[in-house]
Amino acid sequence: MSGLIGKKVGMTSIFDENGKNIPCTVIEAGPCVITQVRTKEADGYEALQLGFDDAKKSNKAAEGHAKKAGTVAKRKVVEFQGFEGEFKLGDAITVDHFAEGEFVDISGTSKGKGFQGVVKRHGFAGVGQATHGQHNRLRAPGSIGAASYPARVFKGMKMAGRMGGDKIKVQNLRVLKVVAEKNLLVVKGCVPGHKNSYVIIQK
């Protein structure tokens, strides 16, 4: 799937032609510089490596890699397959790659929530009442096993633990607006990640 690297700006809402208020996410998409062209002869597959957002600090390896494309080292580098047309090293791909009305898949890293209990992490209901002998077990997980058989806790048991910080892909988000002069893409709905986090947009 072809696509672009972007940065989540934040959420807002806009009104459609029927006056309905639609929640949407604003993404700064590109311009992305082609830092490497993968070919079937050399690499065994065809793809374009795109770089986005200039790095403030970088090592010699990253600087040398970017120098071949006539650019500076990038903070985010991702490979995409499925681009149509001829592209060469150093070309820039802009937000014009997307059109209003089409659907895109966006992946990013969700917000980290830290160590959370079973009610927040897995949606457990809790005890259900605060009386009738209930002391301090309101949000407790309850029993996690059976008895002397099987005498163990099954793998995959839903328990408290680290929550968030996972790679998540949201599919079929409709492109509401493309603001080419500001490199902005407005999509319907929400996108994983905090503000200024990197996202990958594919179509």
Side-chain angles (χ1 to χ4, degrees), residues 1-190:
M1 295 168 76
S2 64
L4 278 179
I5 310 166
K7 189 186 278 187
K8 181 176 173 179
V9 177
M11 288 195 74
T12 183
S13 61
I14 58 176
F15 291 94
D16 64 3
E17 59 274 4
N18 300 319
K20 189 179 178 183
N21 192 16
I22 301 174
C24 54
T25 305
V26 181
I27 299 167
E28 182 190 333
C32 295
V33 180
I34 298 174
T35 53
Q36 192 171 3
V37 179
R38 301 282 192 184
T39 60
K40 210 148 200 168
E41 298 78 44
D43 305 290
Y45 66 101
E46 291 184 352
L48 293 180
Q49 188 189 83
L50 303 184
F52 174 69
D53 207 7
D54 295 348
K56 291 177 183 175
K57 279 184 175 182
S58 60
N59 55 28
K60 288 284 176 69
E63 287 170 10
H65 183 70
K67 196 174 180 181
K68 292 177 186 175
T71 183
V72 296
K74 302 294 180 183
R75 289 187 71 180
K76 186 74 173 173
V77 177
V78 180
E79 271 190 13
F80 292 91
Q81 296 182 352
F83 274 100
E84 294 175 0
E86 288 293 318
F87 294 95
K88 61 181 188 293
L89 210 60
D91 285 356
I93 300 174
T94 63
V95 73
D96 293 326
H97 182 65
F98 301 103
E100 290 182 16
E102 69 182 6
F103 292 87
V104 295
D105 297 346
I106 300 179
S107 56
T109 304
S110 63
K111 288 181 178 179
K113 304 287 184 183
F115 194 99
Q116 296 298 330
V118 290
V119 174
K120 186 179 179 79
R121 194 180 187 212
H122 297 296
F124 282 23
V127 168
Q129 73 268 336
T131 58
H132 293 285
Q134 199 283 112
H135 172 49
N136 59 352
R137 315 298 297 153
L138 194 66
R139 298 171 70 90
S143 173
I144 58 168
S148 57
Y149 177 82
R152 65 191 179 92
V153 177
F154 289 117
K155 285 184 178 179
M157 180 69 63
K158 289 179 179 177
M159 293 182 176
R162 276 277 189 96
M163 180 182 174
D166 302 313
K167 187 180 180 184
I168 295 176
K169 179 184 275 191
V170 181
Q171 296 181 305
N172 298 322
L173 296 176
R174 185 156 56 89
V175 176
L176 300 176
K177 270 187 182 179
V178 177
V179 188
E181 58 272 13
K182 291 185 178 179
N183 298 312
L184 294 179
L185 190 71
V186 181
V187 297
K188 183 180 178 181
C190 55

